[in-house]
Amino acid sequence: MTENERRLIEAIAEMREEEALELAKAMLARGEDPLRVLELCREAMDIVGKRFERQEYFLPELVLAGEMLETIGAIAKPLIQERSGGEAKKLGRVLIGTVHGDLHDIGKNIVTFMLDINGYEVRDIGIDVPVAKFVEEVRGFQPQVVGLSGFLTLAFDSMKETVQALEAAGLREGRRIMIGGGQVDEAVRTYTGADAFGGNAVAAVSLCRQWIAA
Amino acid sequence: MGGDAAARFAERSRRLMDAVELRESDRVPAIFYTMFWHARFGGMSCRDAMYDYDRVDAVMRRILEEFQPDAYALPHPMTAFGAIMERMDYRQMQWPGHGTDENVSFQYLDREYMKAEEYDEYLFDPTGFYLSKYLPRVAGRLEGLSRLSDLPGQYYMGLVLGMRHYADARVLAAFGAMREAGEEARRMLGHALAFAKEMEQRGFPQAQGAAANAPFDYFGDNFRGSKGILLDMYRKKNELLAAMDKAGVFILRQALAAGSRSPSRVVFIPIHWAFDGFMSLAQFKTFFWPSFRRLLIGLIDGGLIPLVLWEGDCSSRLEVIGDIPAGKAVYWFERTDLVRAKEVLGGTVCLRGNVPASMLTTGTPGEVDAFCRALIERVGKGGGFILDGAIGIPDEAKTENVRAMFESVRKYQP
């Protein structure tokens, strides 16, 4: 690894945004491989994710890291030649959405982000998602894990209905359902019939690790 | 007020003040607070609860008589503002008939209402920014106010001739909408006041009067949106800190004025972005606590009682937030363990809470009873405790669970 490469990883991981963007831009301007730059970003995100899990980093760092990644990605991606692959192999598929009646998305977005940087292919189907839409998306995407998010107490019933609909559609078998957000706890898990609940994004990642064998 | 009702009012008020001032009392008080549970209890839709003042009165009367809480939060100013929002075309919320279904509660729209590069403008002139940029963004019918920029630049003959702006059709349309919304707000609040008076006659004190927000939440919720403010903590640190200092002055003045007009000295402050998982303790000490503490001290010095609802789990903050004068405030914790909070804060602040929303919604009366008993016995010891749900009574709570909660204070002693 070159000195510049090491510095880019460090700048992202240490939240030095301006420096990170300058380094990345300079590397790309010099004609360095854009795939390599993105790979360095991924390494930096690994560090950010681990620090988040250790509660050294919190939401401001996750969001800022996400912004840096997006900015660098937007410059690097058009430069990528038609070369083979490049994308790391995904560990598994997770479908996530906020259940119907609830418009909250911060928690869901954080979980999506953490799963993504941990190597999962995440399909986020948005907020206020009708039961039928969950069923349709699960059928199409065939995720190993379904994440139901909700901040309001009305989400308890929406989650329960969604779980039941997946069951009725024969889509529960061989698939795990996790819930999270706001007031969700073990009592809500029992009520909704989900497999597990998580209190934060780190819990969501460990559930997926547990459920999806590498 | 009839003799019995007057005695009950005095007894309840004393019980609440005993709790606030950390004295032992005859029993633990319990407060009724909800967003939309009264609608469910009374067979109304959420929409009705936001628009039909008479039906809100009727169902609240039944609730208070049936559950006999020691105080209650007046539902009108918390939920019955649909018609006011409609008249101004308010854009920071979706509510029944305006983005959500008849039976779904209103929900705040987490968006950017002030851009990151506008901090300087805000800092230079908060009132000018508020009037000419903020109001037109958050209320469709107030867009004409954007014509009223740079008022201090109009002086002498410029001031005199500047009067023409107030006859601009767009400005007049905005003033017209403000008047309509204002008249509706007066109607609703007049109604609420009459209801509160009637309840006082029946022996029920109000649990809270004015409301306020921590400066960080003020910007995060109302101006920058959650993503915006998270990024500001890195990209606009100095501007954010300066803007919070400035906004804190306005928030305090407004709360002192509203608090002095209200029959209740309690100022309700829901806290949204302070919980453990959101920012680090070091960030909390830098970004959240200093400006918020100044607000708390300002309210206390003004003779008011801050009631702070610490949403989420704030366990790691307890030592820091204990730095306020003793016996002057209430900390209502949503998910923070109250037993631990009592250990850290018991000598400083009255605690309130926190029967889980999940238990009130999906549990049994037996579970609620056992949970409340444990809270009363452990957290109520020595006084300084008010029983409530973690977020008050959740909208979908079972009636028998609500009953179990209110009965528990009459059954168990600390």
Side-chain angles (χ1 to χ4, degrees):
Chain A
M1 187 178 292
T2 68
E3 174 62 13
N4 269 339
E5 290 179 341
R6 196 195 53 73
R7 279 179 57 206
L8 175 60
I9 293 175
E10 187 188 291
I12 297 174
E14 297 296 328
M15 301 293 131
R16 297 197 300 266
E17 186 182 20
E18 281 180 28
E19 185 187 333
L21 299 186
E22 273 169 30
L23 280 166
K25 279 180 198 162
M27 287 165 81
L28 292 168
R30 277 197 305 271
E32 289 187 33
D33 183 356
L35 286 174
R36 174 67 184 152
V37 173
L38 291 179
E39 172 56 29
L40 297 170
C41 289
R42 267 195 294 275
E43 279 186 43
M45 297 313 284
D46 260 0
I47 301 175
V48 173
K50 290 210 172 69
R51 289 182 185 173
F52 184 74
E53 287 183 35
R54 289 199 299 267
Q55 296 182 29
E56 294 163 14
Y57 276 174
F58 292 84
L59 300 195
E61 289 76 23
L62 278 197
V63 172
L64 184 62
E67 287 280 299
M68 289 189 262
L69 190 65
E70 209 177 302
T71 309
I72 297 172
I75 308 169
K77 281 179 187 154
L79 303 174
I80 298 173
Q81 308 293 323
E82 281 299 315
R83 282 181 242 191
S84 61
E87 276 293 300
K89 191 176 173 305
K90 295 290 182 182
L91 299 175
R93 287 181 306 280
V94 183
L95 181 91
I96 190 168
T98 302
V99 292
H100 71 88
D102 202 320
L103 308 174
H104 291 84
D105 64 357
I106 301 170
K108 170 183 67 59
N109 294 348
I110 296 293
V111 170
T112 302
F113 182 77
M114 280 298 286
L115 287 170
D116 181 53
I117 66 172
N118 277 282
Y120 294 92
E121 185 183 354
V122 190
R123 180 174 294 180
D124 178 351
I125 58 172
I127 56 171
D128 193 10
V129 177
V131 169
K133 170 103 171 148
F134 264 108
V135 170
E136 181 195 318
E137 291 280 346
V138 168
R139 190 170 280 134
F141 185 54
Q142 290 292 321
Q144 288 100 323
V145 177
V146 179
L148 306 180
S149 174
F151 179 76
L152 303 171
T153 48
L154 66 81
F156 302 170
D157 281 322
S158 304
M159 287 172 174
K160 185 176 187 165
E161 289 162 20
T162 309
V163 172
Q164 285 171 346
L166 289 174
E167 240 158 36
L171 293 167
R172 180 76 189 268
E173 194 72 23
R175 187 165 283 123
R176 304 290 192 133
I177 302 176
M178 60 182 182
I179 59 173
Q183 308 295 324
V184 168
D185 57 13
E186 180 55 25
V188 180
R189 187 206 65 76
T190 311
Y191 180 74
T192 57
D195 293 300
F197 80 97
N200 54 50
V202 175
V205 173
S206 25
L207 284 171
C208 288
R209 281 194 191 131
Q210 204 178 301
W211 286 340
I212 305 175
Chain B
M1 203 184 298
D4 281 359
R8 274 200 305 276
F9 187 88
E11 181 188 300
R12 284 170 173 150
S13 302
R14 181 193 41 72
R15 196 174 283 137
L16 291 163
M17 279 316 293
D18 282 346
V20 172
E21 292 172 354
L22 310 176
R23 281 189 300 271
E24 284 191 350
S25 203
D26 58 331
R27 64 167 172 78
V28 164
I31 287 179
F32 180 83
Y33 173 103
T34 193
M35 295 307 284
F36 279 102
W37 183 75
H38 59 298
R40 162 164 293 216
F41 178 81
M44 296 190 271
S45 64
C46 288
R47 187 175 198 287
D48 291 339
M50 291 189 71
Y51 283 86
D52 192 334
Y53 310 147
D54 288 323
R55 287 188 74 186
V56 172
D57 289 357
V59 70
M60 271 308 287
R61 236 176 247 124
R62 270 179 57 206
I63 286 172
L64 296 184
E65 292 298 347
E66 184 167 341
F67 298 96
Q68 295 285 319
D70 290 290
Y72 71 103
L74 199 55
H76 312 69
M78 291 199 300
T79 43
F81 40 64
I84 308 170
M85 295 198 293
E86 222 163 68
R87 279 159 182 70
M88 57 197 285
D89 185 18
Y90 188 61
R91 289 172 172 172
Q92 290 184 297
M93 218 179 247
Q94 293 193 337
W95 71 94
H98 294 263
T100 69
D101 286 346
E102 190 90 339
N103 253 318
V104 172
S105 69
F106 60 77
Q107 292 175 60
Y108 188 75
L109 295 173
D110 176 32
R111 289 182 188 154
E112 199 177 57
Y113 300 97
M114 176 179 110
K115 299 186 192 83
E117 53 274 20
E118 287 177 327
Y119 270 109
D120 289 341
E121 200 179 333
Y122 179 92
L123 284 167
F124 176 70
D125 175 14
T127 305
F129 179 82
Y130 184 85
L131 196 64
S132 65
K133 295 269 173 73
Y134 185 72
L135 286 180
R137 284 176 197 169
V138 303
R141 292 189 68 199
L142 304 194
E143 275 169 1
L145 295 180
S146 62
R147 314 290 299 170
L148 294 179
S149 53
D150 299 316
L151 292 182
Q154 297 167 18
Y155 58 96
Y156 196 50
M157 278 305 113
L159 182 160
V160 173
L161 300 177
M163 288 297 119
R164 72 185 183 282
H165 296 300
Y166 302 101
D168 180 302
R170 288 159 290 192
V171 175
L172 283 176
F175 285 168
M178 289 167 98
R179 179 179 177 164
E180 281 176 40
E183 282 169 352
E184 188 59 38
R186 282 178 169 265
R187 200 156 33 241
M188 185 273 270
L189 290 169
H191 200 99
L193 211 65
F195 177 79
K197 197 79 200 155
E198 181 199 329
M199 289 306 107
E200 192 181 315
Q201 305 284 339
R202 294 179 186 224
F204 296 103
Q206 280 189 69
Q208 61 196 54
N213 281 108
F216 187 91
D217 288 342
Y218 171 89
F219 278 106
D221 288 345
N222 305 294
F223 286 76
R224 297 286 296 121
S226 55
K227 184 177 173 187
I229 201 152
L230 287 165
L231 292 171
D232 294 343
M233 291 168 71
Y234 276 96
R235 291 176 178 170
K236 294 276 174 189
K237 178 180 176 182
N238 294 332
E239 291 89 338
L240 172 59
L241 290 172
M244 288 195 294
D245 285 348
K246 209 147 193 174
V249 177
F250 292 107
I251 298 168
L252 176 60
R253 282 187 198 160
Q254 170 66 20
L256 287 173
S260 69
R261 288 192 298 264
S262 170
S264 169
R265 288 197 288 133
V266 175
V267 179
F268 179 50
I269 312 175
I271 295 291
H272 299 144
W273 298 120
F275 59 91
D276 288 352
F278 186 71
M279 60 173 94
S280 71
L281 185 59
Q283 287 165 335
F284 177 77
K285 287 181 188 170
T286 303
F287 287 98
F288 205 100
W289 181 241
S291 57
F292 183 47
R293 182 176 183 277
R294 275 199 295 282
L295 176 66
L296 293 178
I297 300 297
L299 294 172
I300 291 168
D301 287 347
L304 299 175
I305 302 166
L307 159 63
V308 186
L309 170 53
W310 295 94
E311 291 186 4
D313 183 351
C314 295
S315 299
S316 78
R317 319 298 198 212
L318 297 179
E319 280 77 9
V320 176
I321 65 180
D323 181 24
I324 57 167
K328 300 287 185 190
V330 181
Y331 281 176
W332 178 2
F333 286 109
E334 183 195 345
R335 295 187 89 155
T336 308
D337 175 19
L338 281 186
V339 174
R340 175 159 142 64
K342 180 84 174 179
E343 286 165 17
V344 180
L345 296 169
T348 306
V349 64
C350 171
L351 301 176
R352 174 167 160 180
N354 64 4
V355 186
S358 61
M359 184 181 284
L360 287 168
T361 305
T362 69
T364 64
E367 287 166 351
V368 173
D369 181 80
F371 194 90
C372 292
R373 179 180 187 171
L375 281 180
I376 291 166
E377 289 176 353
R378 298 175 72 185
V379 187
K381 201 172 262 320
F385 173 56
I386 297 168
L387 181 73
D388 198 345
I391 48 163
I393 305 300
D395 302 348
E396 292 78 15
K398 291 181 193 159
T399 301
E400 58 270 29
N401 290 345
V402 177
R403 187 170 294 116
M405 187 183 105
F406 283 105
E407 279 173 359
S408 71
V409 289
R410 285 175 258 277
K411 281 166 72 177
Y412 305 112
Q413 280 289 332

